[in-house]
Amino acid sequence: MTLLLCGAVLVPGLSGCSWPGSSGATPPPAVAPAALPKYYDPAPLVADVRARTRLDGGSTLSVAGTLTHDGTTVPVTGDGALRVDEAGDAPAVRLLLRSGPSSTVARSTEIIRIGGRTWLRPGDGGWGEAGRVPLPPEQMAHATLAANVAAGVDPLGAVARYPDAVLVADAADDAVDGTPAVHYTLVVDLVRAVATETDPARRASLQAQQRAGLTRLSSEIWVDAERRPLRSRVRQQLPDGAALDVLVRYDGWGVPITIEPPVG
């Protein structure tokens, strides 16, 4: 009896095994998507993302997350836009923020930030500049929430301010709505950040977080192959003890964005 072993006898020009219905060819292996280049030094990451956003000039954005206070968690949503100037100053922001228990009508606050000035319009009321027009106590908490979210929508604002206190803790391949991206986790050493902060209000906020037991702050950002931010995560401990955790999505880098001080 003779056993014919596939591969033991080769016909010139052919190799491998064939079976009924096959072509005799081995299917090619699946090709994994190419990984994007990654930064492990925060300085060039910040510089390149800043350069890209300045070139694009701005983006529309949306916000979704939660606010937790005294064991109660409520949804936070919003939409708006930011404009980035070529000079590299803090982005101008326009945001309509809504929050409140799911069973109630969400409370809303509209906010505009340009340079060092902030304007608020709670609910159906009129515009008022923060620090110049007092707000009723029932509106103050939500206005503070809106101001903190608006300050956090700058994709790298939390880390670019403290370049000597930042490290890249993780850089992982990911995707945002099907677009390949790198998900960065950036960590700020709180002690070093406090030591370099010159703004009294910011310094007091950082020191309050230190007293609460925090030693570092983390920031997350998803960056595509063109160095555009696609998404960022804002996590903050607010002055009243509430914890804010929201995702910011940037949906239209390069679209024309105009943000002006409110009238009336």
Side-chain angles (χ1 to χ4, degrees):
M1 181 180 294
T2 302
L3 295 179
L4 298 179
L5 300 179
C6 179
V9 178
L10 301 181
V11 177
L14 299 177
S15 64
C17 298
S18 63
W19 59 93
S22 80
S23 65
T26 302
V31 178
L36 298 183
K38 298 177 178 63
Y39 295 86
Y40 295 97
D41 180 348
L45 170 63
V46 171
D48 287 355
V49 172
R50 283 289 194 213
R52 178 75 254 185
T53 57
R54 289 173 192 169
L55 180 64
D56 287 340
S59 174
T60 55
L61 59 88
S62 59
V63 173
T66 59
L67 179 71
T68 302
H69 191 211
D70 293 335
T72 301
T73 298
V74 299
V76 175
T77 61
D79 51 76
L82 62 84
R83 189 192 71 232
V84 184
D85 294 326
E86 290 188 6
D89 296 331
V93 177
R94 180 179 67 247
L95 179 69
L96 174 61
L97 194 76
R98 299 170 290 271
S99 73
S102 302
S103 58
T104 65
V105 176
R107 178 170 292 185
S108 65
T109 297
E110 193 170 358
I111 185 168
I112 293 176
R113 290 170 60 92
I114 302 175
R117 302 178 68 181
T118 300
W119 294 266
L120 297 159
R121 183 166 67 176
D124 297 326
W127 286 99
E129 186 171 356
R132 297 190 179 185
V133 177
L135 292 175
E138 65 273 13
Q139 295 179 345
M140 181 61 71
H142 196 266
T144 301
L145 170 64
N148 277 274
V149 174
V153 300
D154 179 359
L156 287 174
V159 296
R161 190 174 181 87
Y162 311 108
D164 297 328
V166 182
L167 61 85
V168 177
D170 192 29
D173 291 310
D174 203 348
V176 176
D177 298 329
T179 300
V182 179
H183 176 193
Y184 290 97
T185 300
L186 307 173
V187 175
V188 179
D189 183 299
L190 193 54
V191 174
R192 298 181 69 179
V194 169
T196 59
E197 182 56 73
T198 57
D199 181 85
R202 291 177 180 268
R203 184 181 178 88
S205 176
L206 293 175
Q207 289 173 329
Q209 294 182 74
Q210 269 189 305
R211 289 192 295 270
L214 296 178
T215 59
R216 64 182 191 176
L217 304 174
S218 66
S219 175
E220 295 175 67
I221 181 173
W222 286 254
V223 179
D224 70 7
E226 301 299 322
R227 311 303 189 264
R228 289 186 176 97
L230 301 181
R231 185 165 67 187
S232 66
R233 188 173 186 180
V234 178
R235 285 183 288 188
Q236 295 179 355
Q237 197 76 27
L238 301 184
D240 61 357
L244 175 67
D245 188 349
V246 297
L247 283 175
V248 183
R249 288 179 177 268
Y250 307 94
D251 305 310
W253 286 106
V255 301
I257 300 293
T258 299
I259 300 177
E260 301 290 346
V263 177

